[in-house]
Amino acid sequence: METGYKGTDRMITGIVFGVITFWLFAQAMVNVVPAVQSDLGISMGTLNIAISVTALFSGMFIVAAGGLADKAGRKKIAYIGFVLSIIGSLCLVLAEGAPLLIAGRIIQGLSAACIMPSTIALIKAYFEGKERQRALSFWSIGSWGGSGVASFAGGVIATNLGWKWIFIFSIIFAVLGMFLLKDTPESKQESSGSFQFDFAGLSIFIVTMLALNIFITYGASFGWLSLQTLGILAVILAGLMIFVKVETGKKVVLIDFTLFKNKPYAGATASNFLLNGIAGTLVVANTYVQVGRGFTSFQSGMLSLGYLVAVLAMIRVGEKILQRVGAKKPMIWGALITTSGVAMMGLTFLPDITYTAVVFVGFALFGLGLGIYATPSTDTSVSNAPSDKVGQAAGVYKMASSLGGAFGVAISAAVYGSAAASGNLEFAATLGILVNVAFGILSIISIITLVPDSAGKARISEKAGVAVSD
């Protein structure tokens, strides 16, 4: 443990406050779509961009921020993230139209990119064994749990105080988080020589990811076989090939592909990307029940109350299951339960009362599964990351979360929007939710094929006579 410092509950609380500035407050935007659109007078297309751009920018910059945290200091980058969160939230509070709204959402994405990998790296630096797993459980409560609270809290705040108050609370929690972390020592890798960073790799990666997001979001409106869409697709394919070639041909890289030689890490990251794609369910389900079934923001938020309770209750349970049977089984169980819950929400042919009950149960299963999955997956990625690259490894793992969520939201919203144009909202919602079911199935397949049975299990080294973790 660096400097001999041992992590404290105060430190964990400060980290959780930082994490929820994105997962709770920034993510609450998905549940206040009609209110924001009415208040600011902007189009649905612009609002969809504002919703997805936060996760997109987080995903694009999170690996770079994780690498910077390793070199410049994990606490320092976390603090930069807190400051960016405050600035981004202020932009949203002051927004009167699209420019400040989108600018604030972009800054919130950059904030999340700084906070998420740096706080995971701080946990690995100052906690060990079961204490680390406990700290990661609380980190997961801030992220997975925060996303569960987001829909409910966003609806309550928007209905009673106005949607901008969501981001006033975010500023308050960011300030508190900075105060609670002030006594945590700095943590960074030992290095010699001048500071180096892969700016070329970052530039190629940003262009490629932006092109991919435009392709997903606007492909249908451009026409999938139009020259515009095919040109964007060409940029994506060329960008991916150039990025891989550049990253494998030099010493200082944005993404160290050797991380994926570790199968537990690769499996946790791939399944994390796919399972986060299910985030599109929140946009489709919340929008459909408000537009198609006449629910208010508060009522749609109440539908996800079961998600909130289940995910918060099951995260520590997932931690205990991990300690008993390893990581693979709870990861599979969690992904399977989540996918089943999402599939239930696609039964839009049901009458109002029945469908309301089914969606409530579906959200509860959604949260139950994610709660079981969260800590085993996060601990598998962290425990298999090299100590000198834990920030970068955490950045790649959380990039999978952010990009998975961004693309899941973009694809689901695009499918729902295209189908809704015909006027059949029930059919549109079913199609949008089926996209998320597909993400869940692929996540289960990735866990089964990539995560070894030994992942997360303690084995006894007969030679050393001590317990170590695979």
Side-chain angles (χ1 to χ4, degrees), residues 73-88:
R74 289 140 186 168
K75 179 182 175 182
K76 181 184 295 182
I77 297 301
Y79 261 55
I80 291 173
F82 279 104
V83 173
L84 288 173
S85 177
I86 293 169
I87 294 171

Side-chain angles (χ1 to χ4, degrees), residues 308-393:
L308 163 61
V309 174
V311 75
L312 291 175
M314 296 307 295
I315 284 175
R316 295 301 306 277
V317 174
E319 172 196 335
K320 301 303 179 185
I321 296 174
L322 161 67
Q323 293 167 357
R324 287 181 175 271
V325 302
K328 185 170 185 175
K329 287 182 179 179
M331 287 172 70
I332 292 174
W333 297 340
L336 183 60
I337 293 169
T338 292
T339 304
S340 299
V342 170
M344 291 178 65
M345 297 185 216
L347 304 177
T348 58
F349 58 85
L350 295 172
D352 284 340
I353 295 177
T354 305
Y355 183 68
T356 299
V358 166
V359 171
F360 185 87
V361 174
F363 267 119
L365 291 175
F366 193 144
L368 182 71
L370 289 183
I372 293 173
Y373 171 89
T375 300
S377 176
T378 306
D379 185 68
T380 298
S381 70
V382 170
S383 62
N384 285 280
S387 294
D388 62 335
K389 296 178 181 177
V390 65
Q392 182 184 153

Side-chain angles (χ1 to χ4, degrees), residues 32-292:
V32 294
V33 169
V36 176
Q37 188 176 14
S38 173
D39 187 26
L40 300 184
I42 57 180
S43 69
M44 190 64 189
T46 301
L47 193 51
N48 283 338
I49 292 173
I51 291 172
S52 62
V53 76
T54 303
L56 176 66
F57 269 74
S58 172
M60 288 193 302
F61 287 95
I62 197 167
V63 178
L68 283 172
D70 287 333
K71 296 174 182 178
R74 289 140 186 168
K75 179 182 175 182
K76 181 184 295 182
I77 297 301
Y79 261 55
I80 291 173
F82 279 104
V83 173
L84 288 173
S85 177
I86 293 169
I87 294 171
S89 294
L90 273 175
C91 286
L92 297 179
V93 171
L94 299 174
E96 296 294 337
L100 268 185
L101 176 70
I102 293 177
R105 296 290 290 170
I106 289 172
I107 295 170
Q108 284 182 322
L110 296 174
S111 164
C114 293
I115 289 173
M116 287 192 283
S118 60
T119 51
I120 288 178
L122 284 171
I123 287 174
K124 179 159 186 179
Y126 296 127
F127 294 90
E128 291 182 342
K130 289 186 176 181
E131 287 301 310
R132 185 193 66 224
Q133 291 170 348
R134 174 178 174 269
L136 288 173
S137 285
F138 282 105
W139 195 100
S140 296
I141 287 172
S143 57
W144 294 103
S147 66
V149 177
S151 184
F152 173 73
V156 172
I157 294 171
T159 300
N160 293 283
L161 297 173
W163 66 270
K164 290 188 177 183
W165 273 92
I166 295 170
F167 304 103
I168 294 174
F169 285 119
S170 182
I171 293 170
I172 294 170
F173 275 83
V175 172
L176 288 173
M178 294 176 73
F179 174 76
L180 292 170
L181 276 181
K182 68 182 181 66
D183 294 329
T184 302
E186 185 57 276
S187 164
K188 60 182 177 180
Q189 65 180 217
E190 294 183 8
S191 61
S192 59
S194 60
F195 176 81
Q196 293 179 301
F197 185 74
D198 182 18
F199 291 103
L202 177 61
S203 301
I204 297 167
F205 186 74
I206 290 171
V207 171
T208 305
M209 290 298 103
L210 280 174
L212 182 56
N213 191 257
I214 292 170
F215 176 80
I216 293 169
T217 305
Y218 295 103
S221 59
F222 289 159
W224 293 112
L225 297 178
S226 69
L227 288 177
Q228 289 168 297
T229 303
L230 293 176
I232 294 168
L233 182 60
V235 171
I236 295 167
L237 295 175
L240 288 173
M241 289 188 289
I242 294 170
F243 181 74
V244 172
K245 183 174 178 59
V246 167
E247 293 298 282
T248 53
K250 60 183 182 179
K251 203 170 183 181
V252 179
V253 295
L254 180 68
I255 297 179
D256 185 354
F257 288 109
T258 62
L259 290 170
F260 296 101
K261 291 181 179 179
N262 184 291
K263 285 193 72 175
Y265 178 82
T269 303
S271 65
N272 189 39
F273 171 82
L274 292 163
L275 203 58
N276 270 274
I278 287 181
T281 302
L282 298 173
V283 175
V284 174
N286 278 310
T287 302
Y288 170 66
V289 297
Q290 290 182 54
V291 178

Side-chain angles (χ1 to χ4, degrees), residues 281 284-285 342-343 345-346 348 355 412 428-438:
T281 302
V284 174
V342 170
M345 297 185 216
T348 58
Y355 183 68
S412 299
T430 297
L431 281 183
I433 288 171
L434 282 176
V435 169
N436 297 281
V437 172

